[in-house]
Amino acid sequence: MTLRRVNVIILVLLAVAFLILVQRNLLNLGDFLHKENPDAGMILPFESELSPDLRSDSVRKGEEIPVLITATEDRLGAVVAAINSVYENSKANVVFTIVTLNDTVDHLKVWLSETKLKTVKYNIVVFKPELLSGKISKDPKTPETVKPLTFARYYLPAYIPEAEKAIYLDDDIIVQGDIQELYETNLKPGHAAAFSDDCNSASAKGIVRGAGNQNNYIGFLDFKKAAIKKLGMKPNTCSFNPGVIITNLTEWKNQNITQQLEHWMELNAQEDLYSKTLAESITTPPLLIVFYKHHSNIDPMWHVRHLGNTGAGNRYSTQFIRAAKLLHWNGHYKPWGRASSYSDVWDKWFIPDPTGKFHPVRRHAEE
């Protein structure tokens, strides 16, 4: 063997050894960075707490799907059932942002960490009620005036600052389809949000005459008021339900949607612009104004609602309920109460409270 060939072999071996050494150092560096800052890029402008770091074999891969839901202490069981239904019916990489108040954080953390939901990725964000100071009227007859979390949907970009698109869900829902499909709802250019219209939805036909089931703008807004007249909106325009929202957060920020909503909140506190005949909501009217004829549509089967209204839910066939991708118990009767339709569907996704504080109310419990 010539000296030149020996030198070539030595150089090759040295090169291989060098590459192995570099690879090991890079792997060690990656592990170090992961341990030092596992949640980089998820800092929120509001007080928040992240879920515990998960093992790599339990973390779902792919594009993150941000889902925001609010959590009040008296309805915490609803939030748990909703999250469970979303998580179990999809393999997508869902990350929940749960907006709540200080008095609910500890209870929520126990429910998430000591049940099957411990593998769910989430942020807990504490809502600051002072954000609404001077912006809403203090009408004791309107339940939402004492429930600040109903306004959390106005501030979506603040809670999910890094996302370009997100889903907002009310807590009284159950998701039966793959949330990835809802997330992929197409928003038209220039639209900041998509909603499910009330007039043509599968869940609105034949049940829009009951109290709380109004399906046009005149049911929510007082068209005798000058501020409403100036907008030039048609009173018979089909309304939409903001219990499920798909948002383009970039457009939301660019169009200053939050500031527009706050403007109408403040104006109503001064001039009382909302309808007194049918609607009780004070969160829906600003959304109707800001998104008047400027929103995209959600597939009706992704928002089958009115299950919480008297008699309305009973008009659905069992086959229709099974086929629905998302069920919404909007109305007075909730599935964790005594008189709701299809509470058995909700029960499938409810996870008992490990602290024993929350219990669904059932008729048979009193018999």
Side-chain angles (χ1 to χ4, degrees):
M1 184 178 295
T2 65
L3 181 60
R4 178 179 296 178
R5 183 175 296 179
V6 171
N7 289 337
V8 169
I9 292 173
I10 292 173
L11 288 172
V12 170
L13 291 174
L14 287 172
V16 171
F18 176 77
L19 290 173
I20 292 173
L21 182 62
V22 168
Q23 182 185 29
R24 287 180 178 177
N25 286 338
L26 288 174
L27 289 173
N28 289 337
L29 178 61
D31 289 341
F32 172 78
L33 291 174
H34 178 74
K35 292 174 182 177
E36 286 294 305
N37 192 14
D39 297 301
M42 298 183 70
I43 299 173
L44 297 174
F46 291 84
E47 186 179 346
S48 65
E49 181 159 346
L50 304 175
S51 57
D53 188 29
L54 304 176
R55 295 268 60 87
S56 59
D57 58 351
S58 66
V59 175
R60 301 186 184 192
K61 306 297 183 181
E63 178 186 9
E64 286 189 354
I65 297 180
V67 175
L68 185 141
I69 191 167
T70 60
T72 59
E73 181 66 25
D74 60 326
R75 294 163 64 117
L76 208 50
V79 177
V80 167
I83 290 175
N84 188 34
S85 71
V86 171
Y87 191 73
E88 289 295 330
N89 285 311
S90 176
K91 297 300 181 184
N93 184 17
V94 183
V95 179
F96 295 93
T97 295
I98 309 170
V99 184
T100 188
L101 300 174
N102 276 316
D103 62 356
T104 305
V105 172
D106 291 340
H107 190 183
L108 176 60
K109 285 166 59 178
V110 170
W111 213 328
L112 293 173
S113 64
E114 296 187 8
T115 64
K116 59 187 287 189
L117 296 179
K118 61 186 177 183
T119 58
V120 170
K121 295 171 68 175
Y122 63 87
N123 307 320
I124 297 177
V125 181
V126 176
F127 185 85
K128 298 180 179 179
E130 56 266 27
L131 199 63
L132 304 175
S133 179
K135 297 185 178 74
I136 56 175
S137 59
K138 303 295 183 181
D139 184 357
K141 297 179 181 178
T142 307
E144 288 172 322
T145 61
V146 292
K147 295 181 179 179
L149 289 177
T150 60
F151 297 93
R153 72 197 86 186
Y154 288 8
Y155 301 94
L156 291 171
Y159 300 123
I160 318 174
E162 302 300 324
E164 294 185 3
K165 190 176 183 181
I167 298 172
Y168 166 84
L169 299 175
D170 274 354
D171 60 2
D172 52 352
I173 65 97
I174 289 295
V175 172
Q176 299 187 134
D178 188 339
I179 201 72
Q180 179 87 40
E181 181 183 334
L182 180 62
Y183 183 73
E184 292 173 356
T185 296
N186 182 49
L187 272 68
K188 295 178 181 178
H191 284 184
F195 305 91
S196 184
D197 284 340
D198 287 325
C199 299
N200 299 319
S201 72
S203 59
K205 294 178 180 178
I207 56 174
V208 296
R209 295 185 180 277
N213 288 335
Q214 60 276 19
N215 69 333
N216 53 38
Y217 272 50
I218 200 171
F220 291 89
L221 298 165
D222 186 348
F223 279 81
K224 295 178 181 179
K225 296 296 175 69
I228 301 299
K229 284 183 179 180
K230 289 179 182 178
L231 296 172
M233 300 184 300
K234 295 182 178 179
N236 63 347
T237 300
C238 183
S239 59
F240 54 77
N241 186 296
V244 177
I245 310 174
I246 314 300
T247 63
N248 179 326
L249 294 176
T250 301
E251 285 291 345
W252 191 291
K253 288 181 281 190
N254 290 342
Q255 297 178 32
N256 296 316
I257 297 296
T258 295
Q259 290 75 14
Q260 292 186 57
L261 294 169
E262 287 184 326
H263 166 74
W264 287 104
M265 290 165 64
E266 294 170 357
L267 201 59
N268 176 67
Q270 300 167 15
E271 302 182 22
D272 204 15
L273 303 176
Y274 306 158
S275 171
K276 292 288 188 283
T277 55
L278 293 175
E280 294 180 355
S281 175
I282 61 174
T283 54
T284 299
L287 289 161
L288 292 176
I289 294 171
V290 173
F291 289 103
Y292 177 71
K293 293 189 175 180
H294 196 65
H295 66 275
S296 299
N297 294 320
I298 294 175
D299 180 343
M301 295 304 285
W302 268 105
H303 196 177
V304 173
R305 48 200 182 277
H306 304 307
L307 273 70
N309 288 312
T310 308
N314 293 327
R315 302 185 187 186
Y316 302 137
S317 69
T318 302
Q319 292 76 12
F320 180 75
I321 292 296
R322 288 176 180 170
K325 303 293 184 64
L326 183 149
L327 300 171
H328 188 184
W329 280 264
N330 61 308
H332 295 293
Y333 302 100
K334 303 304 180 184
W336 55 90
R338 290 187 181 87
S340 170
S341 303
Y342 293 103
S343 57
D344 57 319
V345 176
W346 184 87
D347 284 342
K348 290 193 303 183
W349 304 104
F350 174 70
I351 298 173
D353 183 1
T355 72
K357 296 177 183 177
F358 183 95
H359 295 281
V361 180
R362 295 291 180 256
R363 290 192 188 95
H364 59 74
E366 299 177 351
E367 295 173 356

